[in-house]
Amino acid sequence: MPPRLEPPRLRRVRPRRRRAPAPPPRVEELARRADAPHHEDAPAPYPEEPAPEEVTVATGALCLRRCHTCGEEYPSDYVVCPRDSTPLGLDRDAEDPMIGVVLAGTYRVQRVLGRGGMGRLYEASHARLDRMFAIKVIHEAQSRSRDAVRRFDREARVLSRIRSDHVLDVMDVLRTPDDRPAIVTARLEGEDLKARLDRVKKMSVEEAIPLARQICRGLAAAHAEGIVHRDLKPSNLFLEGGADGRTTVKVLDFGVAKLRGDGELTRTGAVVGTPAYMAPEQARGSATVDERADLYAVGAVLYRMLTGRAPYTGEEPARLLSSLLHEAPPRPRAIERSIPAGLEVLIQRAMARDPEDRPADALTLERELAAFDTAPADAPPADWRPTDGDVSTLVLPRGSVDRAKELGRHARRARPLAVALSAVTASVAGALAALFVVGFQTLDGAARAPVEVSAAWLLSGAAVIGALSVLSRWLGRRWVSAPEVLRVDRALGAAVVAAGASLGLLELTARALAALDGVSEPTLGWALVARAGVALGCGLAAGVLAHRRRAFG
């Protein structure tokens, strides 16, 4: 018999596990290696590749480290590149590739002035004129983004359209040898407002108000061209010192500006701006952000100048946005008592959550700020109107001092008046509740029993307590903002007057009719209920309408 063949046995072969690549050395380890002493015969800290030569970019207060693999730049506290773990070298100014380059045969780049999110700022000399210029060049990484290049080009186009002494002038637009866009502007001498505030912490009213007025003039010029800045903050406001000792404010960085009739470069619903200074509608990502968002930012910047702190503070942007949307900032006078009460009202109006409650435009805000300018010697006249696109000068309106005093009086009496009107409103609510109770108790025309009288008193007292509780909570949420308290005063006053007037008119009419008919019995039952209902309705309607009106129309 032939031998029996058995099927071959199959062995299960386990696939080999690939060994994961060794993780890049930690930042602490690389720092330890770099700082540790080395002997001549000791191995180099990075044997795989030679140690990179150091390349430096000086940016004023910020020193950057550049990665030689990907070309990106990082702050000086970075030791390795987060992308490819390449050790970073600390830069030096002379080795920046743009230093010494002549752009368009005219501008020779001399040194680095600073660095922002979109580009780097250089100082350049003119080849034929004895004058220095500033050149902003987009970052290498940003130049590979089509949207970033479009936004950079649009900033140049925006600045070229604005004619104002308080907006940075654009001299030229050109390209670098590696085809990156660049903007040539005037070379400003001075410092930005953030640097000034970091040094002095806060400013006096006499110093801050003229600066805020100049900001309004620059914004008025931009708004006249249909341009909304959307990122106004102290670091975007430059204080240029003049030969006569005066300070001129220049509005900078229109990189995220919104242009009327131009396509939006940011996604619908995207939050654009700086949380500490942006308007609530910006924080919500609203597509209807207009010039009044810049007015909010002016109020926030003025708040920072006078109090020494931003309206909203915190490390996390999400928490800042939540506070901006749901909380009111502390009262300026609660932080700095020297701020005039009327100026506090104006700041809070500019920072109103509802854009309808803010000043109508930048010129209106400028004129209202003029009321608190104690040294308007260089202020232009006050019946100013835009002519030939120039909105650099304004006129000081007549009666501005009286306007400042009026605002101060309103602010000082707003909160005591609100407390008094709340008490009166609660008393009126208790009286109307008593009329309702007595009317229902006398529907059958019978005399009231002592128990019913006691019940009417108890219900009337409960109505007073309930009204006080509701009004105190309503007023408490608005107590910080003087304009909101003024609106409460207006609403409560209108409600009390309307309710009392309607009830008195009905009572007078009823008594006149009773006298004509020869009837002397008091009005009870449904007639009393109807009077109380009409008075209550008139009071509520008048209060709601008054509250919807602006505090200063």
Side-chain angles (χ1 to χ4, degrees), residues 179-467:
D179 201 36
R180 286 183 289 153
I183 303 174
V184 182
T185 66
R187 172 70 166 92
L188 302 179
E189 296 290 342
E191 61 183 347
D192 60 47
L193 181 58
K194 181 179 184 301
R196 173 76 63 86
L197 292 174
D198 288 342
R199 191 177 72 253
V200 303
K201 304 306 179 186
K202 56 181 154 182
M203 298 179 175
S204 64
V205 174
E206 293 75 13
E207 186 180 6
I209 293 300
L211 300 182
R213 294 184 65 195
Q214 293 183 55
I215 297 170
C216 290
R217 297 173 196 172
L219 290 177
H223 296 167
E225 298 292 336
I227 299 166
V228 183
H229 191 286
R230 294 200 297 184
D231 195 21
L232 198 70
K233 55 186 175 182
S235 59
N236 286 340
L237 299 167
F238 197 88
L239 307 181
E240 185 181 26
D244 57 356
R246 295 179 181 177
T247 299
T248 302
V249 179
K250 298 282 188 178
V251 181
L252 311 177
D253 198 352
F254 283 78
V256 296
K258 181 179 180 182
L259 280 70
R260 185 191 307 135
D262 198 0
E264 182 63 60
L265 295 182
T266 53
R267 298 187 308 273
T268 301
V271 177
V272 178
T274 303
Y277 298 95
M278 71 168 57
E281 60 267 26
Q282 282 182 261
R284 289 190 293 267
S286 173
T288 59
V289 173
D290 58 16
E291 291 83 357
R292 292 170 295 184
D294 287 344
L295 303 187
Y296 180 98
V298 173
V301 169
L302 186 56
Y303 186 109
R304 169 69 179 88
M305 287 194 287
L306 293 174
T307 65
R309 51 158 288 178
Y312 298 95
T313 57
E315 298 295 333
E316 299 179 6
R319 182 168 297 180
L320 274 177
L321 290 175
S322 177
S323 300
L324 172 62
L325 291 173
H326 304 292
E327 301 174 10
R331 289 180 56 192
R333 282 173 55 83
I335 304 172
E336 178 55 57
R337 293 296 300 175
S338 63
I339 300 174
L343 181 56
E344 179 187 62
V345 174
L346 185 54
I347 294 173
Q348 292 177 326
R349 279 189 58 217
M351 296 180 62
R353 293 181 179 277
D354 187 352
E356 297 294 334
D357 294 332
R358 300 171 198 160
D361 50 45
L363 298 182
T364 302
L365 179 57
E366 197 277 343
R367 292 190 180 105
E368 295 191 6
L369 286 171
F372 302 94
D373 194 347
T374 57
D378 60 338
D383 48 345
W384 177 89
R385 291 294 180 273
T387 57
D388 300 329
D390 183 11
V391 290
S392 302
T393 57
L394 296 173
V395 196
L396 185 65
R398 294 181 179 179
S400 58
V401 176
D402 295 336
R403 176 63 171 168
K405 293 180 178 179
E406 179 189 1
L407 289 172
R409 287 194 299 269
H410 279 296
R412 284 190 294 271
R413 71 187 185 191
R415 292 174 179 86
L417 183 60
V419 174
L421 286 174
S422 297
V424 174
T425 303
S427 302
V428 172
L432 293 179
L435 294 181
F436 275 112
V437 173
V438 173
F440 282 113
Q441 288 177 346
T442 57
L443 289 178
D444 55 359
R448 292 190 298 159
V451 176
E452 292 178 324
V453 175
S454 300
W457 278 103
L458 288 175
L459 291 175
S460 178
V464 172
I465 295 173

Side-chain angles (χ1 to χ4, degrees), residues 49-89:
E49 57 183 11
E53 61 181 11
E54 293 184 350
V55 181
T56 302
V57 179
T59 60
L62 178 64
C63 289
L64 302 175
R65 294 177 183 262
R66 177 177 297 162
C67 175
H68 289 262
T69 302
C70 65
E72 292 292 333
E73 296 168 348
Y74 302 97
S76 58
D77 56 349
Y78 279 54
V79 179
V80 296
C81 176
R83 291 187 173 184
D84 47 38
S85 302
T86 301
L88 302 177

Side-chain angles (χ1 to χ4, degrees), residues 157-176:
R157 192 168 71 252
V158 166
L159 288 172
S160 66
R161 288 170 53 178
I162 303 174
R163 298 287 184 270
S164 173
D165 294 337
H166 304 291
V167 177
L168 185 65
D169 290 331
V170 171
M171 307 298 181
D172 202 352
V173 177
L174 42 83
R175 292 276 174 169
T176 63

Side-chain angles (χ1 to χ4, degrees), residues 56-176:
T56 302
V57 179
T59 60
L62 178 64
C63 289
L64 302 175
R65 294 177 183 262
R66 177 177 297 162
C67 175
H68 289 262
T69 302
C70 65
E72 292 292 333
E73 296 168 348
Y74 302 97
S76 58
D77 56 349
Y78 279 54
V79 179
V80 296
C81 176
R83 291 187 173 184
D84 47 38
S85 302
T86 301
L88 302 177
L90 187 62
D91 293 0
R92 256 179 222 95
D93 192 24
E95 298 186 23
D96 186 283
M98 287 294 298
I99 303 300
V101 173
V102 178
L103 300 177
T106 302
Y107 307 99
R108 179 179 293 276
V109 179
Q110 302 287 350
R111 64 188 181 96
V112 180
L113 294 176
R115 182 183 190 273
M118 286 288 294
R120 188 176 300 153
L121 190 66
Y122 296 93
E123 183 183 56
S125 59
H126 198 281
R128 294 170 295 278
L129 301 176
D130 187 15
R131 183 178 177 185
M132 304 300 292
F133 293 86
I135 301 180
K136 182 177 180 180
V137 181
I138 194 171
H139 290 310
E140 293 90 342
Q142 297 282 0
S143 65
R144 296 189 287 269
S145 169
R146 183 178 301 177
D147 286 345
V149 173
R150 287 179 59 197
R151 188 174 289 113
F152 193 86
D153 290 338
R154 188 175 69 168
E155 180 180 4
R157 192 168 71 252
V158 166
L159 288 172
S160 66
R161 288 170 53 178
I162 303 174
R163 298 287 184 270
S164 173
D165 294 337
H166 304 291
V167 177
L168 185 65
D169 290 331
V170 171
M171 307 298 181
D172 202 352
V173 177
L174 42 83
R175 292 276 174 169
T176 63

